[in-house]
Amino acid sequence: MSAARFLCVGTHHKTGTVWLRRTLHRIMERQGIGLMQANRPKRIADLPESGPQIVVNWSSGFPAEFFALPEARFIHVIRDPRDVLLSGARYHEKAAMGNEKFLKEQKPEWGGLNYKDYLKSLETPQDKLLFEMEQKHASTLFEMLAWPYGHPQAVELRYEELMEDHDCALFRSALERCAIEGLDIDGAVEAFWDSSLFGGLKEKDERPSRILNHVTSGTGAEAQWRSKMPRSVARIYADRYGSALAALGYAEDDSWVELCPEDVPAAQEAVGAK
């Protein structure tokens, strides 16, 4: 087998993309390793003939031609889709329009509003989550399911486990398995720690604004859906995407729905908002 030279890293929306992006850019700057995005097969022509290269795709949609490269190794990160839904709905209400192009999209069925403004116009948390569920979340979930799980050149990681990887052993193990020729693993692990909320960004006032915009109080290994997903939304989610949760290894059946909090009556929500 050819020596591994191309470290291909794939994430999905709200699965640690900002975190991994900062990590990889620090590796690029400190080790002088090139970094490029791979969304089209023709990007293969831009790969160097020698030495390491970092290749990213933030929806994990690497062209099939990249998987056929004997020098390529892949790290793929997913997250519990239920937490992706919650995190996405919160973020899309406050995200800067320049950060996510789809937030600018306007549709007649939204009264001519764009994605962000329509989401903000919905009155209840349940309505907001149901809208998000059928829009951006649906495409993100499809992308997670489309990944070629079991590929011999890929290492699978979960966001929840990375958030608990305080000694960076999991991230180090992934890099060791990839064995990228010319990559300083110790330096790469240091970049990962420096970019982590439990490491170099532990103090809130030291976090860059873009990191802050993506962080919520529920960030961490503990499942947010257990305390923040209304049960009425959970029932609909289980009906529509229960098979996806099972395929990704996050729920064997729909019994998790009963662990979600009961819906708060609208009148009580209004009182609590004052």
Side-chain angles (χ1 to χ4, degrees), residues 234-253:
R235 291 193 183 100
I236 295 172
Y237 196 97
D239 181 59
R240 296 181 184 177
Y241 302 130
S243 59
L245 287 178
L248 295 171
Y250 280 101
E252 295 182 357
D253 52 39

Side-chain angles (χ1 to χ4, degrees), residues 40 46 66 70 75 81 91 111 134 162 177 184 207 218 247 258:
R40 302 178 301 279
D46 299 324
F66 276 81
I75 291 178
Y91 172 63
E134 293 306 307
L162 285 175
R177 289 174 62 186
D184 175 6
R207 303 177 196 172
E258 299 307 313

Side-chain angles (χ1 to χ4, degrees), residues 134-156:
E134 293 306 307
Q135 301 297 325
K136 180 61 176 177
H137 183 72
S139 61
T140 300
L141 187 56
F142 175 80
E143 291 165 0
M144 279 198 270
L145 292 169
W147 178 263
Y149 293 94
H151 194 285
Q153 293 169 216
V155 178
E156 306 293 343

Side-chain angles (χ1 to χ4, degrees), residues 125-141:
Q126 291 90 331
D127 289 338
K128 294 176 189 291
L129 288 171
L130 291 176
F131 173 74
E132 177 77 14
M133 187 189 302
E134 293 306 307
Q135 301 297 325
K136 180 61 176 177
H137 183 72
S139 61
T140 300
L141 187 56

Side-chain angles (χ1 to χ4, degrees), residues 26-43:
R26 279 180 163 157
I27 294 172
M28 175 186 69
E29 294 165 0
R30 295 173 182 179
Q31 300 191 32
I33 298 175
L35 186 152
M36 71 181 210
Q37 294 200 44
N39 300 313
R40 302 178 301 279
K42 67 180 183 180
R43 291 309 311 267

Side-chain angles (χ1 to χ4, degrees), residues 90-151:
R90 285 192 299 268
Y91 172 63
H92 296 149
E93 279 198 85
K94 63 182 180 181
M97 297 294 281
N99 291 345
E100 311 289 351
K101 292 182 180 179
F102 73 89
L103 293 177
K104 300 179 181 179
E105 184 180 7
Q106 298 172 317
K107 290 187 177 182
E109 57 265 39
W110 302 341
L113 297 176
N114 58 42
Y115 190 109
K116 178 178 179 178
D117 288 340
Y118 184 75
L119 179 62
K120 291 173 65 176
S121 75
L122 298 173
E123 294 185 359
T124 69
Q126 291 90 331
D127 289 338
K128 294 176 189 291
L129 288 171
L130 291 176
F131 173 74
E132 177 77 14
M133 187 189 302
E134 293 306 307
Q135 301 297 325
K136 180 61 176 177
H137 183 72
S139 61
T140 300
L141 187 56
F142 175 80
E143 291 165 0
M144 279 198 270
L145 292 169
W147 178 263
Y149 293 94
H151 194 285

